Amino acid sequence: MLYFQMVIMAGTIMLAYYFEYTDTFSVHVQGFFCYDTTYTKPYLGPEDSSAVPPVLLYALVAGLPTLLITVTETALFLVQYTSKEFDRSEKSVAIGDCCYLNPLVRRTVRFLGVYVFGLFTVDIFVNAGQVVTGNLAPYFLTVCKPNYTALGCQQALRYISHQEACTGNQDDILRARKSFPSKEAALSVYGALYLAMYVTCVVKSKGTRLASPVISLGLMCLAFLTGLNRVAEYRNHWSDVIAGYIIGTAIATFLVVCVVHNFKGKLLLSEDPPVPEQVPSPAALNLGRVESPLEKYMSSQVRAAPITLTNVQLKQERVAEITQSL
C-alpha cells in the first residue's frame, strides 16, 4: 500500500503541474457583450501587487501547517515520553516490509502527506474548473482592450465570441479568463479548515479549552479575509470566491473524516497486556454442586433400597422363629 500511495501522489503532482505550467489543456474562450459593465472594473496590476500576493499565500498554506503539526506532534510525544506509559509501548512501527519508523515520525508524515495531497487535489479541481468554464474576471475588458469600432459594437447587446477581439497583453488576457473558481479562496479555506480540525481533534488538554477554538476561528478568519480581498481588488466575482470556498471545504472535510479519521491514533502504540488465566478461588472450589431433580430422585432410591431389603429379611427371620417355637 505504501508504494501504491506514492504512485497516486506522483500522479497527482504531475497532473497539477500540467494544469499549472503547460498549455496541455486549453482554456475555453468565453464571449462577452459590448460595453458590459460586469467586466469593466479597473485592473490593479499583476498578482504580485495584491495585498495577499501568491508568494505570501503559498508560504502560509505550505509552511504554517507543517510547522504547527510538527510542533504539536513533537510536544504530545514528549509528554507521553516522560510518562510511565512509554515503558509499556512500542518504540517503532513497521512500514511495509523494509522500514521501521518511530510513531512520532509516522504520524507526522501521515498527516502532512495527506495535507499535501489535498493541496494538489484542490489545485487540480480549481484549474479544471477554470479551464472548462473560462469565466471572465471583473477586469477582463480592461486588459482585453477590444476595438469596439472594428467589432461593430454600435449596439451594446452585440455578443463577441471570437478570440481575436482582444488587443491587449496575452498573458493578462489569459489570466483574466481563469476566474472561476478562485484558487486563492480554495487554497486558503482548505488549509485553514484542515488545521482547525487538526487542532480541535488532537489538542484536548484542560488548559487548551479556549486556545483550540481561538486558533480555529483565527485561521478561518484569515481564509475569509483572503476571499474578501479578491473581491475588493476586482480579481474575482463573489461567485468565484464562494465556489472556491466550497471546493476547499469539501476536500478538507473528506480527507479529515474519511482518510485520517479525525486524526485518531496514538503516538505510542501500547501493547495489549497478557490476560491472566482465571484460577478458581478456594471458596469457589468448596461450594457444593447443585443437583438436578432427577439426580436427587435417583439418589433417594439408592438410599432407600438397602432399608427395604433389611425389613424383608427381619420379617422372614421372625416368621422362622415363630414356626420353630410351634
Side-chain angles (χ1 to χ4, degrees), residues 2-316:
L2 177 62
Y3 303 113
F4 182 67
Q5 294 173 5
M6 293 178 63
V7 170
I8 293 178
M9 178 66 78
T12 305
I13 295 175
M14 290 181 61
L15 185 59
Y17 172 80
Y18 279 108
F19 266 118
E20 190 74 28
Y21 298 105
T22 65
D23 56 354
T24 304
F25 305 95
S26 58
V27 181
H28 172 69
V29 178
Q30 182 175 338
F32 57 92
F33 289 98
C34 295
Y35 306 104
D36 191 346
T37 57
T38 306
Y39 308 118
T40 56
K41 299 297 187 294
Y43 178 56
L44 302 181
E47 294 290 339
D48 295 336
S49 62
S50 173
V52 185
V55 176
L56 176 62
L57 177 64
Y58 296 155
L60 290 176
V61 170
L64 185 60
T66 303
L67 179 63
L68 183 59
I69 292 177
T70 303
V71 171
T72 303
E73 292 296 323
T74 304
L76 293 176
F77 181 82
L78 293 177
V79 170
Q80 294 190 18
Y81 183 85
T82 56
S83 64
K84 296 180 180 179
E85 295 180 359
F86 186 78
D87 296 333
R88 303 191 303 268
S89 61
E90 296 179 359
K91 308 303 186 298
S92 61
V93 180
I95 303 297
D97 298 329
C98 62
C99 305
Y100 293 89
L101 293 178
N102 185 280
L104 167 64
V105 179
R106 180 179 181 272
R107 275 176 56 95
T108 305
V109 171
R110 179 191 177 196
F111 296 156
L112 290 179
V114 172
Y115 177 77
V116 173
F117 172 78
L119 280 180
F120 286 106
T121 304
V122 171
D123 186 79
I124 290 173
F125 272 85
V126 170
N127 283 321
Q130 293 176 351
V131 167
V132 172
T133 60
N135 197 30
L136 305 179
Y139 62 87
F140 173 75
L141 291 180
T142 305
V143 298
C144 177
K145 300 178 181 180
N147 188 346
Y148 292 113
T149 304
L151 295 174
C153 290
Q154 288 77 16
Q155 297 179 355
L157 296 180
R158 181 178 178 83
Y159 186 75
I160 308 300
S161 59
H162 52 88
Q163 188 173 4
E164 292 76 11
C166 295
T167 61
N169 184 276
Q170 294 300 318
D171 293 335
D172 295 337
I173 295 173
L174 179 62
R175 191 179 301 109
R177 291 186 180 276
K178 300 170 65 176
S179 176
F180 180 88
S182 174
K183 180 183 297 185
E184 290 75 10
L187 291 176
S188 61
V189 78
Y190 167 77
L193 185 59
Y194 190 94
L195 276 185
M197 297 178 74
Y198 172 80
V199 172
T200 304
C201 296
V202 174
V203 182
K204 294 183 178 180
S205 60
K206 295 182 180 180
T208 58
R209 291 179 179 177
L210 291 179
S212 296
V214 168
I215 294 175
S216 302
L217 291 176
L219 293 171
M220 297 305 298
C221 286
L222 290 178
F224 182 71
L225 291 176
T226 302
L228 288 181
N229 178 72
R230 300 296 299 180
V231 177
E233 293 184 350
Y234 308 114
R235 300 183 187 277
N236 289 104
H237 303 279
W238 274 110
S239 57
D240 306 334
V241 174
I242 293 175
Y245 283 159
I246 293 175
I247 292 175
T249 301
I251 294 177
T253 304
F254 171 76
L255 293 178
V256 170
V257 175
C258 300
V259 179
V260 295
H261 305 291
N262 296 324
F263 304 100
K264 293 181 179 179
K266 297 182 179 180
L267 282 170
L268 304 179
L269 304 178
S270 301
E271 296 178 349
D272 296 333
V275 180
E277 296 182 359
Q278 296 182 355
V279 180
S281 61
L285 294 175
N286 295 331
L287 293 177
R289 186 171 59 88
V290 180
E291 295 181 348
S292 63
L294 179 59
E295 292 177 343
K296 291 182 179 180
Y297 175 77
M298 295 298 296
S299 61
S300 63
Q301 293 295 326
V302 171
R303 289 193 300 268
I307 298 174
T308 304
L309 292 175
T310 304
N311 294 334
V312 173
Q313 292 176 358
L314 291 175
K315 289 181 180 180
Q316 291 178 354

